[in-house]
Amino acid sequence: MAFMAVLESDLRALSAEARRRYPAVKDAAEHAILKLRTLSGPSEIAHNEDIVRIFLLACDARSVKMSVIGLSCLQKLISHDAVAPSALKGILSTLKDHAEMADDGVQLKTLQAILMIFQSNLHPDTEDDMAQALGICLRLLESSRSSDSVRNTAAATFRQAVALIFDNVVSSESLPSGKCGSHASRANSVANDVTRSINQSLDTSSISSQPVMRETLTKAGKLGLLLLEDLTALAAGGSAVWLRVHSLQRIFALDILEFVLSHYAAVFRTLVPYEQVLRHQICSLLMTSLRINAELEGESGEPTFRRLVLRSVAHVIRLYSSFLVTESEVFLNMLVKVTCLDVPLWHRILVLEVLRGFSVEVRTLRLLFQNFDMNPKNTNVVETIVKALARVVSTIQQVPESSEESLAAVAGMFSSKAKGIEWSMDNDASNAAVVVASEAHAITLAVEGLLGIVFAVATLTDEAVDVGELESPKSDTDIASKCIGETAALCVSMVNSTWLIILDALSLILTRSQGEAIIIEILKGYQAFTQACGVLNLVEPLNSFLASLCKFTINIPIDGEKKSLLLSPGAKKSEALVDQRDNIVLTPKNVQALRTLFNVAHRLHNVLGASWVLVLETLAALDRAIHSPHASTQEVSASVSRLTRETSGQYSDFNILSSLNSQLFESSALMHVSAVKSLLSALRQLSSQCFSGCSSGTGQGSNQQIGSVAFCVERMTSVIVNNLPRVQHIWDDVVGHLVELSGSSNQQLRNLALDSLDQSICAVLGSDQFQSNYPPLNWNYLQNFVSLDCPLHFKSNP
């Protein structure tokens, strides 16, 4: 065997090194070589103490070269399970002595041997052996004589040993092995972060439910508990009784504690002694460390320490709030309070990172909302978090002189994120540029947190649809949306408690922002939340988000005070879309908002109902802009002629929007009959509103109102043409309004109505359905035209 050959070679090297000064070692090495030749492999070596004894003897010589050879050979024996457990005490005693030698090479070999012990079948199973092995690492870590390489290796060795100890606890206690450590890296969008949080929660589903608690512990469980208690004491600035360590850097101890909390949730959720340490000792430590004290010095005042405290608090809330309800509520309220206090920017950013993390984690957000907001006995923590994030976003209004710089920096951070570039906090806020960047960092985290909640609500709504609690807006059944089940009820409650706060904050940042990446991200949020409100049949937030979205679609110069567009269907409409000026320039923000509006309308066409009026007002304004010779996109000057723009291919935005506008009404063929009737009702409502104001007018306003009527009439005709198989259900709605228009004193309106009637009748008469089965249509409307001086002239004669 190669191992046996290597071991014999090491023994010969040891014999040669000991030849002059250590004859006893030389003789023992040569004897061991002869003995080795009689053994067949590692298992027989483990039962023969002579081989291990010679290497321990070499180490006892305290010669650097001899010790390096002896320690190297011990590592090989341990890694091949060629050492009996009975030899562990002697090996640990030797390693403890070598940790005190002033040679870096020997100390590093000692640490390597310690790690090898934890990875092998020699893994300590008694309190004394475990404490001694871990103590060697901690003494080298804290020794002022240790070099940086030794100190770093000791820290890494201790960290790996702790992981192996708790892995052994999980195995011995027969607990789920799934780990749920958080990922520091982020996706290139908030929506992708939410999606990834869903995938991670599926990976850790084995520990998501509360198991039956157990009081008794195995031997490995008791060792892990001793280690946990000492780590907690060290993190609090105390001494470790079992490990016999008087002091340790709090940051290092807290780092290890945070690792255990995040990766071994099943231990704390199943074993009562661990749960008690978590509840009474760890939570006490974290609450004390979380308190704001302006006089904090040393480690407690450092960003690194504060970050570890906040991460540990986040793990407690995320993983253990189901049974640490009171503690989690206190933690959450303390976190939100920090966002309002006069603390260093870096501190506020660290807290916002935690709150953002909760917001993009669907399972965490759901758990918090169920345990707190939906429980009358507890605080509405999710609503409080939303208010805190919105308050941070609103700071861009409080300092006008620096808000533009901050907004530009926020847009830059979203742009970097879209490209996959991570941005991090600069702790040195000593100059103006860093302060602006830090303020932008805080605002960015707050915006992302609000968007995370938006996408989480949308994700939960989709889940409610998937499990049958809600009717899909694309369902084939023409019935009212039902809302039953736990997930659907949670979504409704979450929307009702947060939508107004979210809308105010997102509309503010969207109004002030110009960067492409941030605009696209926020509009995605608008779309996701609006669609969720539609599926949940929540009319007020649906209409408010729709109206706000429409506000960003068309740039219309208006003289005088701007008027709010947050109107519900049936209310008096804003004059912004009626008093439109000729010179309209669509910015990239306008174009993206229009695309978003089309996406929402396509997704919700079966459930918009009366909300169609809000959409149609905007589409009518877009139609007028498309047909205006003075309208353009921002990249194309309005002074360039329409012909030049069209032939040069620079008019593509309007071409695309025009196509989307037409496709929306052509897709009415896929809508429920009741939805088509709602669409036609909204078209008729908008047309009647404009018709009543322009019947006798001849000014600019009348021309724009006639344009809106023309839009409605053309879309009604399109709906008729695309719904011929079921035209009998919608015929009266369309023809009745066209007959009404045909009686107008305005010649242009009469012509519009008669042309539309002509097209509609010809389409019906020429349809396959008419030829095979005469549809029961009401033709009585057409009797009105007998007395008119403008008879119909069919464009075709089917």
Side-chain angles (χ1 to χ4, degrees):
M1 291 178 61
F3 168 66
M4 304 294 283
V6 170
L7 198 59
E8 182 175 341
S9 176
D10 289 337
L11 286 169
R12 292 187 183 282
L14 182 62
S15 174
E17 181 64 32
R19 187 183 305 276
R20 296 181 180 178
R21 297 181 57 188
Y22 307 100
V25 175
K26 170 184 174 296
D27 293 341
E30 292 176 350
H31 174 75
I33 292 173
L34 296 175
K35 187 69 175 179
L36 184 66
R37 292 173 180 174
T38 65
L39 304 175
S40 60
S43 59
E44 291 192 9
I45 294 177
H47 290 87
N48 191 297
E49 297 180 356
D50 292 342
I51 304 299
V52 174
R53 188 181 298 113
I54 178 56
F55 295 122
L56 293 176
L57 184 62
C59 291
D60 287 342
R62 305 299 292 268
S63 162
V64 171
K65 289 185 177 180
M66 296 275 285
S67 292
V68 169
I69 294 174
L71 292 173
S72 297
C73 293
L74 283 174
Q75 288 181 47
K76 293 172 185 176
L77 290 173
I78 294 170
S79 66
H80 285 81
D81 292 332
V83 179
S86 59
L88 178 60
K89 288 189 179 295
I91 293 175
L92 288 175
S93 177
T94 297
L95 294 177
K96 179 183 177 183
D97 293 339
H98 279 66
E100 298 173 358
M101 291 179 64
D103 183 83
D104 286 1
V106 172
Q107 291 177 344
L108 291 173
K109 286 290 184 182
T110 299
L111 290 169
Q112 291 172 6
I114 290 290
L115 182 58
M116 198 71 69
I117 287 172
F118 278 102
Q119 293 173 332
S120 70
N121 62 358
L122 289 183
H123 188 101
D125 60 359
T126 67
E127 293 184 18
D128 289 341
D129 290 347
M130 182 77 78
Q132 188 170 8
L134 294 174
I136 292 171
C137 299
L138 293 180
R139 278 188 287 276
L140 285 173
L141 174 63
E142 286 299 298
S143 174
S144 59
R145 296 179 299 171
S146 297
S147 65
D148 289 342
S149 61
V150 171
R151 193 172 289 111
N152 292 337
T153 303
T157 302
F158 185 81
R159 186 175 286 106
Q160 293 180 65
V162 170
L164 291 167
I165 290 169
F166 277 92
D167 284 343
N168 198 29
V169 173
V170 169
S171 175
S172 298
E173 301 287 352
S174 302
L175 301 176
S177 59
K179 297 184 180 182
C180 48
S182 59
H183 295 260
S185 62
R186 299 172 180 168
N188 60 359
S189 73
V190 180
N192 289 340
D193 282 334
V194 172
T195 301
R196 186 167 63 177
S197 83
I198 290 288
N199 295 333
Q200 290 175 7
S201 66
L202 293 176
D203 293 339
T204 59
S205 58
S206 59
I207 63 166
S208 60
S209 58
Q210 184 64 33
V212 177
M213 300 292 286
R214 299 205 306 263
E215 292 276 358
T216 58
L217 296 176
T218 63
K219 183 183 292 187
K222 293 176 182 178
L223 291 175
L225 185 65
L226 289 171
L227 175 58
L228 181 68
E229 291 174 330
D230 273 10
L231 285 173
T232 305
L234 291 169
S239 58
V241 177
W242 174 57
L243 292 175
R244 295 187 289 276
V245 176
H246 297 295
S247 66
L248 188 68
Q249 287 186 3
R250 292 187 67 192
I251 288 178
F252 178 76
L254 189 59
D255 185 26
I256 302 296
L257 195 60
E258 185 261 340
F259 168 79
V260 175
L261 286 173
S262 64
H263 286 77
Y264 298 95
V267 172
F268 297 94
R269 296 168 66 91
T270 308
L271 306 177
V272 171
Y274 282 84
E275 182 266 337
Q276 292 298 310
V277 171
L278 173 59
R279 183 185 299 273
H280 299 297
Q281 297 178 40
I282 296 178
C283 284
S284 176
L285 159 68
L286 295 177
M287 286 182 187
T288 302
S289 302
L290 200 59
R291 291 194 182 98
I292 307 302
N293 188 338
E295 299 179 356
L296 282 178
E297 296 180 356
E299 289 184 274
S300 299
E302 293 182 14
T304 302
F305 182 84
R306 186 66 57 181
R307 184 189 295 274
L308 288 170
V309 170
L310 291 169
R311 283 183 178 175
S312 300
V313 168
H315 294 318
V316 171
I317 295 170
R318 183 182 295 110
L319 299 173
Y320 312 112
S321 62
S322 59
F323 60 89
L324 296 177
V325 178
T326 302
E327 292 81 359
S328 297
E329 188 173 10
V330 171
F331 284 138
L332 286 163
N333 289 327
M334 292 177 76
L335 291 175
V336 170
K337 184 179 179 181
V338 172
T339 63
C340 306
L341 296 178
D342 184 18
V343 297
L345 267 174
W346 62 260
H347 191 174
R348 186 177 293 111
I349 288 171
L350 290 177
V351 172
L352 288 170
E353 284 180 342
V354 173
L355 296 180
R356 177 206 180 274
F358 294 152
S359 300
V360 301
E361 295 167 6
V362 179
R363 295 291 170 258
T364 300
L365 200 64
R366 174 175 186 152
L367 182 65
L368 293 180
F369 198 83
Q370 285 177 325
N371 290 346
F372 297 99
D373 295 63
M374 297 185 75
N375 188 336
K377 298 180 180 179
N378 297 328
T379 308
N380 293 342
V381 296
V382 173
E383 182 181 351
T384 304
I385 290 173
V386 172
K387 289 179 179 178
L389 296 174
R391 194 162 46 243
V392 174
V393 173
S394 68
T395 57
I396 62 174
Q397 293 179 306
Q398 299 171 6
V399 190
E401 59 274 10
S402 63
S403 63
E404 294 304 320
E405 291 182 355
S406 295
L407 282 167
V410 171
M413 289 181 176
F414 271 89
S415 178
S416 297
K417 183 182 179 71
K419 297 174 183 176
I421 301 173
E422 291 283 346
W423 30 265
S424 59
M425 177 184 64
D426 190 333
N427 297 330
D428 179 21
S430 58
N431 60 71
V434 172
V435 170
V436 170
S438 297
E439 290 174 347
H441 193 161
I443 294 171
T444 300
L445 289 170
V447 173
E448 287 196 330
L450 292 172
L451 288 173
I453 292 171
V454 163
F455 292 122
V457 169
T459 299
L460 290 170
T461 303
D462 289 341
E463 289 184 3
V465 172
D466 291 340
V467 298
E469 295 183 14
L470 292 170
E471 194 69 43
S472 170
K474 295 296 184 181
S475 172
D476 294 333
T477 57
D478 191 2
I479 58 175
S481 178
K482 56 183 178 179
C483 184
I484 56 173
E486 180 182 333
T487 302
L490 180 139
C491 291
V492 170
S493 181
M494 193 177 293
V495 169
N496 285 334
S497 66
T498 62
W499 73 265
L500 190 56
I501 308 167
I502 292 174
L503 178 58
D504 286 345
L506 292 187
S507 62
L508 170 63
I509 200 75
L510 185 56
T511 300
R512 301 288 301 277
S513 298
Q514 299 301 325
E516 180 183 6
I518 188 172
I519 288 172
I520 291 175
E521 193 80 347
I522 293 177
L523 287 175
K524 285 181 181 178
Y526 261 81
Q527 179 177 331
F529 204 82
T530 306
Q531 291 175 175
C533 292
V535 174
L536 294 167
N537 198 27
L538 299 174
V539 177
E540 185 181 5
L542 168 64
N543 290 339
S544 298
F545 265 84
L546 270 179
S548 179
L549 177 60
C550 292
K551 184 178 67 173
F552 297 103
T553 56
I554 307 286
N555 269 354
I556 305 170
I558 300 178
D559 298 328
E561 184 180 356
K562 295 182 179 179
K563 300 182 179 181
S564 173
L565 289 182
L566 294 178
L567 301 175
S568 60
K572 182 179 178 181
K573 302 303 180 288
S574 170
E575 296 176 6
L577 296 181
V578 177
D579 295 334
Q580 182 181 6
R581 305 298 189 262
D582 279 343
N583 294 326
I584 299 174
V585 179
L586 293 188
T587 66
K589 184 191 296 186
N590 299 144
V591 174
Q592 289 294 341
L594 283 164
R595 286 174 174 267
T596 302
L597 183 62
F598 282 121
N599 290 339
V600 171
H602 273 291
R603 168 72 174 171
L604 298 180
H605 60 203
N606 280 329
V607 297
L608 278 177
S611 303
W612 269 114
V613 173
L614 292 168
V615 178
L616 295 176
E617 284 182 320
T618 300
L619 298 187
L622 172 63
D623 189 68
R624 293 196 301 272
I626 289 173
H627 294 92
S628 169
H630 304 293
S632 68
T633 56
Q634 194 173 57
E635 290 77 10
V636 183
S637 172
S639 62
V640 179
S641 69
R642 171 64 65 91
L643 179 61
T644 302
R645 282 180 280 167
E646 289 178 340
T647 56
S648 65
Q650 293 180 318
Y651 207 57
S652 58
D653 278 341
F654 272 147
N655 290 337
I656 293 172
L657 292 172
S658 178
S659 176
L660 292 173
N661 204 346
S662 299
Q663 289 173 13
L664 179 61
F665 295 91
E666 292 169 2
S667 68
S668 63
L670 305 175
M671 295 164 58
H672 302 156
V673 171
S674 61
V676 176
K677 292 175 76 69
S678 295
L679 172 58
L680 290 173
S681 175
L683 284 167
R684 184 169 184 169
Q685 180 181 339
L686 179 58
S687 177
S688 297
Q689 175 187 325
C690 298
F691 165 56
S692 61
C694 67
S695 296
S696 59
T698 56
Q700 175 72 17
S702 295
N703 289 333
Q704 291 172 359
Q705 290 169 335
I706 289 173
S708 293
V709 175
F711 167 82
C712 294
V713 169
E714 290 172 3
R715 271 36 185 191
M716 285 182 171
T717 306
S718 175
V719 171
I720 285 284
V721 170
N722 287 283
N723 288 272
L724 293 174
R726 49 186 182 174
V727 70
Q728 66 272 21
H729 300 293
I730 60 177
W731 177 257
D732 288 354
D733 297 331
V734 176
V735 176
H737 183 62
L738 296 178
V739 170
E740 180 184 358
L741 287 177
S742 67
S744 170
S745 59
N746 187 302
Q747 183 63 44
Q748 193 172 355
L749 291 181
R750 291 202 305 273
N751 291 339
L752 279 172
L754 293 173
D755 284 344
S756 178
L757 276 170
D758 190 0
Q759 294 177 44
S760 300
I761 294 171
C762 290
V764 172
L765 295 177
S767 65
D768 294 338
Q769 288 76 19
F770 184 88
Q771 301 295 338
S772 60
N773 183 19
Y774 193 98
L777 301 182
N778 182 5
W779 299 98
N780 294 331
Y781 283 113
L782 304 184
Q783 294 175 0
N784 296 320
F785 292 96
V786 175
S787 60
L788 293 178
D789 193 25
C790 48
L792 296 176
H793 299 283
F794 295 152
K795 296 180 179 179
S796 61
N797 186 15

